[in-house]
Amino acid sequence: MSKSEERFDIFDERMNLVGTASRGEVHAQGLWHQTFQCWLWYETEGEGWLLFQERHPGKDTYPGLLDISCAGHLLAGERVEDGLRELEEELGVEASFEQLHKCGMYTDEALLAPDCIDREFCHVFVLKSGRPLTAYKLQPDEVTGLYAVRFADVQALAAGKLNHLRIHGVRPDDAGELTAAHRVVSTADFVPRPEAYYRMVIDAVRVINDEK
């Protein structure tokens, strides 16, 4: 089955289930569907960092841009918990659903092309992960890099208060081994998301730290 033939549960704008449709139909008709999103974060010397994946240049949406640590669509009949597979597939991270902390539900509408409207109910989570960047296993046809960005810089970029930023991360070399990489990026290098979205994610992390 090709990706365009995958079937998703579809919903009305109040998130009432109304049926199923193929991925191609969902995006062509702008039908509401569900996604799983999980941000990996870590802390060092009192500063929090979010991990951004670099999307594969062959992706049909936002190719080559920096995006959520891992994310994916929920297929027809799947529960939110089934989204855990994305962590293992894209980054080689094994985790239980109980280890995730829910940020909230985020509704996202985007006109990606004249014939592609993306309307998503996004289930957003965070997971603390202290492993070195070179210890991740990137899915070759999905992820071409992994970069760390400070919370403060994420918020400044989203708010339009920072024009450029140098970030560090890893990319696979010709042999597929992850090696250190550095980039100078601007807001144009990230999948567009509003400041309120990042505030929701970072606030969830701060609540976790306050509960310790």
Side-chain angles (χ1 to χ4, degrees), residues 88-109:
E88 187 165 3
E89 290 175 0
E90 294 189 358
L91 302 176
V93 173
E94 294 185 14
S96 67
F97 192 69
E98 290 70 29
Q99 289 176 282
L100 306 186
H101 297 269
K102 189 171 180 62
C103 301
M105 171 77 72
Y106 185 79
T107 56
D108 190 21
E109 295 186 75

Side-chain angles (χ1 to χ4, degrees), residues 33-122:
H33 55 289
Q34 297 184 101
T35 62
F36 170 89
Q37 302 181 354
C38 186
W39 287 94
L40 300 185
W41 69 281
Y42 68 92
E43 194 171 48
T44 180
E45 297 181 355
E47 285 194 308
W49 301 72
L50 285 180
L51 297 188
F52 285 78
Q53 68 160 258
E54 181 181 339
R55 293 169 65 83
H56 191 278
K59 298 281 285 185
D60 56 353
T61 58
Y62 302 116
L65 295 190
L66 298 168
D67 199 10
I68 302 157
S69 309
C70 90
H73 291 87
L74 295 180
L75 302 177
E78 286 192 321
R79 303 170 303 160
V80 178
E81 291 88 335
D82 295 313
L84 271 175
R85 68 168 181 275
E86 301 293 339
L87 278 168
E88 187 165 3
E89 290 175 0
E90 294 189 358
L91 302 176
V93 173
E94 294 185 14
S96 67
F97 192 69
E98 290 70 29
Q99 289 176 282
L100 306 186
H101 297 269
K102 189 171 180 62
C103 301
M105 171 77 72
Y106 185 79
T107 56
D108 190 21
E109 295 186 75
L111 177 63
L112 303 181
D115 59 350
C116 184
I117 305 169
D118 201 17
R119 291 193 171 103
E120 298 180 348
F121 291 113
C122 309

Side-chain angles (χ1 to χ4, degrees), residues 161-175:
K161 297 177 180 178
L162 191 62
N163 293 325
H164 294 88
L165 174 69
R166 184 172 176 83
I167 60 175
H168 72 277
V170 291
R171 286 178 58 88
D173 60 18
D174 292 340

Side-chain angles (χ1 to χ4, degrees), residues 157-200:
L157 279 168
K161 297 177 180 178
L162 191 62
N163 293 325
H164 294 88
L165 174 69
R166 184 172 176 83
I167 60 175
H168 72 277
V170 291
R171 286 178 58 88
D173 60 18
D174 292 340
E177 297 295 323
L178 293 182
T179 59
H182 302 275
R183 292 182 56 184
V184 175
V185 296
S186 68
T187 52
D189 294 298
F190 292 80
V191 172
R193 300 189 189 280
E195 184 182 4
Y197 174 88
Y198 289 112
R199 190 183 308 120
M200 176 185 72

Side-chain angles (χ1 to χ4, degrees), residues 104-142:
M105 171 77 72
Y106 185 79
T107 56
D108 190 21
E109 295 186 75
L111 177 63
L112 303 181
D115 59 350
C116 184
I117 305 169
D118 201 17
R119 291 193 171 103
E120 298 180 348
F121 291 113
C122 309
H123 301 273
V124 187
F125 297 86
V126 291
L127 173 66
K128 189 171 186 179
S129 180
R131 68 173 67 187
L133 292 180
T134 52
Y136 290 93
K137 296 179 182 178
L138 308 188
Q139 188 175 3
D141 58 346
E142 293 283 340

